[in-house]
Amino acid sequence: MLSVQRAATGTSTRQLGVRTFFGTSSRAKQRLVILGSGWGGYEILRAIDKKRWSEECSLDVIMVSPTNYFNFTPLLASCSVGTLEFRAAVEPVRRYTPDVIAYTAWCDSIDFKHKKLVCMPATSPVTFEGSQTQSNGGSDVNESASLVTGNTEKFQLTYDKLVIAVGAYNQTFNVPGVKEHAHFLKDIRDARRIRTRILECFEQANQPTITDADRRKLLNFCIVGGGPTGVEFAAELHDFLHSDIARHYPALARMAKINLYDVAPHILGGFDTGLQEYATAKFKREGIRLLTQHHVERVEEGRMFVTEEGEVNFGLLVWSTGLSPNPLIESITELKKDERTKRSLLTNGTLNVLKADTGAPDPDVFAIGDACTIETEALPATAQVANQQAKYLTKRLNRLIKSSSASASSSDAASADAAAFKFQNAGSLAYVGDWEAIFDRTKAARGPKGKETGRVAWLLWRSAYFTKTLSVRNKILVPMYWFLNWIFGRDLTRF
Amino acid sequence: MLSVQRAATGTSTRQLGVRTFFGTSSRAKQRLVILGSGWGGYEILRAIDKKRWSEECSLDVIMVSPTNYFNFTPLLASCSVGTLEFRAAVEPVRRYTPDVIAYTAWCDSIDFKHKKLVCMPATSPVTFEGSQTQSNGGSDVNESASLVTGNTEKFQLTYDKLVIAVGAYNQTFNVPGVKEHAHFLKDIRDARRIRTRILECFEQANQPTITDADRRKLLNFCIVGGGPTGVEFAAELHDFLHSDIARHYPALARMAKINLYDVAPHILGGFDTGLQEYATAKFKREGIRLLTQHHVERVEEGRMFVTEEGEVNFGLLVWSTGLSPNPLIESITELKKDERTKRSLLTNGTLNVLKADTGAPDPDVFAIGDACTIETEALPATAQVANQQAKYLTKRLNRLIKSSSASASSSDAASADAAAFKFQNAGSLAYVGDWEAIFDRTKAARGPKGKETGRVAWLLWRSAYFTKTLSVRNKILVPMYWFLNWIFGRDLTRF
């Protein structure tokens, strides 16, 4: 199973991100390609045994992701109102280069038969006059990639092992205008745009040239989707409006409203009923309007049309109604897909993808996170699941390195005879505002089953963020910002 | 001199940012309008005696500035390479509202005779369908402003005292293409754009689809202007390329070049000759190309044309060649201007502007910072001068409050009989990279005259940033980021 195709380049000079060792060309290198730097992909990048493979020269790791960072998604709602600074909620992929190779690129297509990927740069094109396309001859940069014949814009990579961790896109249910006029909350750029927009709404409303009627429209904040993301954003926004905004824009703060829409009869669908009721009661007490069983028909600039209400004007619309398929997953025809959600690849218990024709697992291709559905078990599309799957897979891949370095003719330790992945439900947490959270452990795998609300749950919610995923740097910065913003208030500069 | 025109509204309800007191309508309020939130304007906002006037109800303070923050300019070069986080180098104007009133707006024109300003909102226009312009009738928001007759987009303010602290614009010497294709470094938005662009250059150069020739063009960093801003940016960029970039993009770091252009024969024109030579030698040792006596003729996307060199390709061009007039200053015809620079108003020794017709000082209008030239003394256009002028003026304005609250028929303590402003040169500092700085105290007003170079100067350079201007919050954040980035390296995420 070991690839030998890179042995020929083993004596070349040291290149960007690819460790080659003089005199070691007789030992072939495995190449692991990870697609995506989210909860699944970044965890593998972080936890894979980089020491061993750099010493023993048995594995190249390549990350292909359109961003060069990982979003610590549960902190995005905090970032979007300034409780946290943006960079405290992201982790750089570049931290691991040149030990690993990283390309800021989209994976366009996968040739499973020849173990090849075609990728498209996710940076803006370079436009020097007289520029020529890389002939891939003399450069010592990016020797790991080659050009696609007849295409000057794409490049290709080969893999021995492939992890598909590309996640999913935002679901809009084809409501017209959502992509153009609403904000999602899945990436740090979304959080930055939302923060800038909220502050702009208040600065616009503060202008003497507009009417009170328009001020109320501008300060009408709408959220569509009553899941954890929508609820936490509503809670953070409420905190922000009732602290820093109320202090520094008192007359305008009184005009501001928060509205949370959902088509379902209750918010927080996945949570225990008691906790749903707790959150509902709390939101009502705080003046957040809950518009359940409401349907948005279309969105335009500054307004949307709701079946039950008619035209609704807003200054900001945040849209968070779940997940839709990643185009890469949609384009794959060689593998079995989850027919129910259509947004993920079907895998066996060891997370190997299943071939569409024979149904047999591909021993070298794995799918994790939102891009994967295990055929025997329906798991929620959460960070927790993706992260646990990545940890499971990393262990297997690390064993592969171990065994391949122990014997030259490695047996594939990542083969299907490994123990199946088992999800350990640690419970679900959601912030509901005003230093209170809810914590649902009714389905927890270990520890006391039950639920928590209020300050105790809030403490658990905050401490939950100190996972291994967050770097030491951010483990210092996150509480630092919490502390500074608690003392001095959130920063209100808009730039 | 006290204005009584607002007395009529003194019994209205408490409005946004305007303190009115029931039953105090017999006491009229002075209104101080500050134009600009830079080194001059923000210092007045910060230091004016807000306690006294809120207690004694003698003064309304209104800030009119196109941004709702103050840029701590000497830290912008650090921010532009990620040594510091952006928000650590800005201070919010909103910290002081509603005690003061703030409008995010441009001052369009000033009617000195009727003591009126016309302002234009600096936020994007509000576009709700059926929106009507504020009739200024029923709202309790922004009662301090009124609409301009026949114009739905502008508003007007009256003043009793006016401080013009609008600063200056970037000088381009009408070189075509500079505004479109170069980056300035005067605002935190510039710093953010530069940081994003530097990281993008490396991610673009890392794509397998481009040639080494294009990589070298992309990683050619050009700076035009050898003053302190250009020099400090070159130094910070050098540090960045030789630490974090060299560590994480080793092959690309070797292709990167820094070029510093100036038309003059030496960089750091205003500094002592010995220090100029020190900086020049240091830059040469560090591999920064110094292209003095070079002239840029025009700039296009990704390239510029230099008289002495011909076409030069670049990935990033930073332009810092001094100051040009602010359009507001240009448009003022009623006041005397500095005929030499044409970018500032002529003032007397007490910073009162001089009328164009009679040459007499206007007792109620002041100019400070880059917008002002004292007729008897040519001072450099620096933050230090602006800040000292603001401190001087704040003392006078605070005396005015004191005297106006002490006696109902206030004598104008801010009149021309006050002692003239005296600049206390504290010396000039510039960072030259690699933990070294230069400190020129040869023209210093107090303390030991002389100059420092190297680490001692670097320590002085860093400690100089702990002025009163920086808030406690940023006094904590700035060293925190210095420390974290020293330990963990600068963050390389591009978003």
Side-chain angles (χ1 to χ4, degrees), chain A residues 172-383:
Chain A
T172 64
F173 297 107
N174 294 319
V175 174
V178 173
K179 276 180 192 146
E180 297 79 10
H181 306 294
H183 293 263
F184 298 118
L185 188 48
K186 234 176 126 49
D187 184 277
I188 197 69
R189 293 172 206 230
D190 300 328
R192 184 168 61 191
R193 278 190 284 259
I194 291 172
R195 183 174 183 183
T196 308
R197 180 59 194 150
I198 296 170
L199 293 171
E200 187 179 49
C201 285
F202 281 94
E203 290 295 343
Q204 284 180 316
N206 187 58
Q207 300 293 358
T209 46
I210 75 164
T211 59
D212 275 2
D214 276 358
R215 289 193 176 109
R216 290 204 170 82
K217 289 176 186 173
L218 262 178
L219 302 179
N220 198 39
F221 298 100
C222 293
I223 300 148
V224 178
T229 305
V231 163
E232 290 201 342
F233 176 72
E236 293 274 2
L237 182 60
H238 171 267
D239 285 1
F240 182 45
L241 298 184
H242 287 257
S243 55
D244 305 292
I245 293 289
R247 191 145 52 243
H248 297 292
Y249 301 83
L252 295 176
R254 288 191 290 272
M255 297 184 182
K257 290 259 175 312
I258 304 174
N259 312 278
L260 181 58
Y261 290 85
D262 204 308
V263 291
H266 303 285
I267 58 168
L268 293 170
F271 279 74
D272 168 85
T273 319
L275 294 175
Q276 282 178 11
E277 283 164 9
Y278 180 88
T280 303
K282 177 149 188 66
F283 271 20
K284 285 191 173 157
R285 218 162 46 238
E286 286 171 347
I288 297 173
R289 285 177 70 207
L290 289 182
L291 298 140
T292 48
Q293 293 177 296
H294 276 61
H295 301 77
V296 179
E297 293 167 0
R298 74 174 194 277
V299 182
E300 295 177 2
E301 191 183 346
R303 61 178 180 176
M304 60 182 185
F305 296 86
V306 181
T307 315
E308 293 76 10
E309 271 189 309
E311 182 180 339
V312 176
N313 285 106
F314 59 80
L316 171 81
L317 171 62
V318 172
W319 192 277
S320 171
T321 59
L323 302 172
S324 79
N326 185 302
L328 175 70
I329 303 292
E330 278 191 306
S331 75
I332 293 174
T333 54
E334 299 89 336
L335 301 180
K336 271 194 168 178
K337 283 191 227 169
D338 177 12
E339 286 309 315
R340 200 175 38 88
T341 68
K342 291 195 190 293
R343 67 175 159 70
S344 47
L345 301 169
L346 223 50
T347 71
N348 64 8
T350 56
L351 307 179
N352 291 79
V353 296
L354 304 173
K355 288 171 189 169
D357 46 3
T358 63
D362 186 325
D364 298 318
V365 182
F366 308 90
I368 57 176
D370 295 348
C372 129
T373 303
I374 302 175
E375 58 179 344
T376 52
E377 193 182 8
L379 295 174
T382 63

Side-chain angles (χ1 to χ4, degrees), chain A residues 10 61 63-65 83 123 171 174 193 211 282 307 366 424 444:
Chain A
V61 179
M63 163 64 75
V64 177
S65 174
T83 310
T123 51
Q171 180 59 271
N174 294 319
R193 278 190 284 259
T211 59
K282 177 149 188 66
T307 315
F366 308 90
Q424 300 284 329

Side-chain angles (χ1 to χ4, degrees), chain A residues 104 124 131 142 203-204 206 214, chain B residues 104 124 131 142 203-204 206:
Chain A
T104 304
S124 50
S131 285
N142 297 331
E203 290 295 343
Q204 284 180 316
N206 187 58
D214 276 358
Chain B
T104 304
S124 49
S131 285
N142 296 331
E203 289 296 342
Q204 284 180 315
N206 187 58

Side-chain angles (χ1 to χ4, degrees), chain A residues 57-123:
Chain A
C57 189
S58 59
L59 190 68
D60 272 348
V61 179
I62 301 185
M63 163 64 75
V64 177
S65 174
T67 66
N68 76 353
Y69 56 88
F70 158 66
N71 285 299
F72 195 87
T73 44
L75 292 178
L76 293 183
S78 295
C79 289
S80 68
V81 301
T83 310
L84 269 186
E85 186 51 52
F86 305 120
R87 270 168 215 273
V90 293
E91 298 289 344
V93 164
R94 287 284 162 198
R95 171 179 299 147
Y96 301 112
T97 62
D99 291 339
V100 304
I101 304 163
Y103 294 115
T104 304
W106 303 95
C107 176
D108 236 34
S109 63
I110 307 171
D111 177 348
F112 295 98
K113 203 174 156 201
H114 300 97
K115 295 189 165 189
K116 260 187 204 168
L117 308 168
V118 174
C119 301
M120 175 84 182
T123 51

Side-chain angles (χ1 to χ4, degrees), chain A residues 366-398:
Chain A
F366 308 90
I368 57 176
D370 295 348
C372 129
T373 303
I374 302 175
E375 58 179 344
T376 52
E377 193 182 8
L379 295 174
T382 63
Q384 206 179 118
V385 170
N387 200 236
Q388 287 187 22
Q389 290 175 334
K391 283 186 162 66
Y392 162 86
L393 197 54
T394 307
K395 268 190 204 154
R396 283 180 64 196
L397 292 166
N398 280 339

